[in-house]
Amino acid sequence: MTGTGVGEPQGFRGAQNEAAIAVPRATTNEINYADVVNMYARMLPSSLSRAVWTCAPDALPQLLQMALSVGTGGNSVFVVNATEDVPMRLFGRPLIVTEKGGTLGARGDLAFTDLGYYLVGDRQTMTADSSTDWQFGSDKTAFRIIQRVDGRPWLKSPITPQNGGNTLSPFVELKAETS
């Protein structure tokens, strides 16, 4: 998800993905309804039916307690369907809770991603070998597994729609808070 691309696949989250869009937060250290709406609006339209939400465990309480203020009132906005089995859904798309998401307030604590735009290159079939020669006296067996694989986002930059407007991408994240 966050690899640098040097000696490992390039991740699709974070600043190393030049096609990712970081949507600014409406409120510091929070995820609110406006953030989710703004992220949804920046998703590439052809990706809306395939994209998935990912969030860090720390972000889940923010999503489950989301509220919408209207003047001096307001109401809770339960955008996550908690009646279905895992994964839950946010705006109709699966919500996957992962410890690999950013901590609350960091970039990517909530992300909306179409993984169909992430390319994986598998250069050779995985090979596995074993040897009892290494540390023979200790009754130990050594294993060697080799797989040549790489990955990177398909797009090099966000897409500018024909009508102008905001750029769109299959990789949308909530921006890190700024103090």
Side-chain angles (χ1 to χ4, degrees), residues 14 21-31 35 38-39 42 103-111 172-178:
I21 295 174
V23 175
R25 292 175 193 272
T27 307
T28 301
N29 205 30
E30 288 185 15
I31 299 172
D35 296 332
N38 290 335
M39 290 175 70
R42 299 295 296 274
T103 58
L104 188 61
R107 180 173 173 159
D109 58 356
L110 180 64
V172 182
E173 302 169 346
L174 200 51
K175 191 174 182 179
E177 67 180 67
T178 54

Side-chain angles (χ1 to χ4, degrees), residues 23-137:
V23 175
R25 292 175 193 272
T27 307
T28 301
N29 205 30
E30 288 185 15
I31 299 172
N32 61 39
Y33 185 72
D35 296 332
V36 176
V37 170
N38 290 335
M39 290 175 70
Y40 194 86
R42 299 295 296 274
M43 177 55 67
L44 193 62
S46 61
S47 294
L48 286 172
S49 63
R50 294 185 309 262
V52 297
W53 296 92
T54 55
C55 76
D58 294 344
L60 193 56
Q62 297 270 328
L63 293 171
L64 295 175
Q65 298 177 50
M66 199 173 300
L68 178 62
S69 298
V70 180
T72 58
N75 200 351
S76 62
V77 178
F78 199 71
V79 295
V80 177
N81 185 347
T83 62
E84 294 180 10
D85 291 334
V86 174
M88 294 180 277
R89 293 184 171 274
L90 180 60
F91 281 15
R93 301 304 310 145
L95 171 66
I96 301 167
V97 181
T98 174
E99 74 281 0
K100 294 173 180 58
T103 58
L104 188 61
R107 180 173 173 159
D109 58 356
L110 180 64
F112 194 32
T113 309
D114 177 2
L115 294 172
Y117 279 87
Y118 187 78
L119 301 176
V120 176
D122 194 358
R123 185 171 171 209
Q124 75 181 42
T125 304
M126 181 186 301
T127 60
D129 296 311
S130 65
S131 173
T132 56
D133 296 336
W134 183 78
Q135 298 224 351
F136 175 78

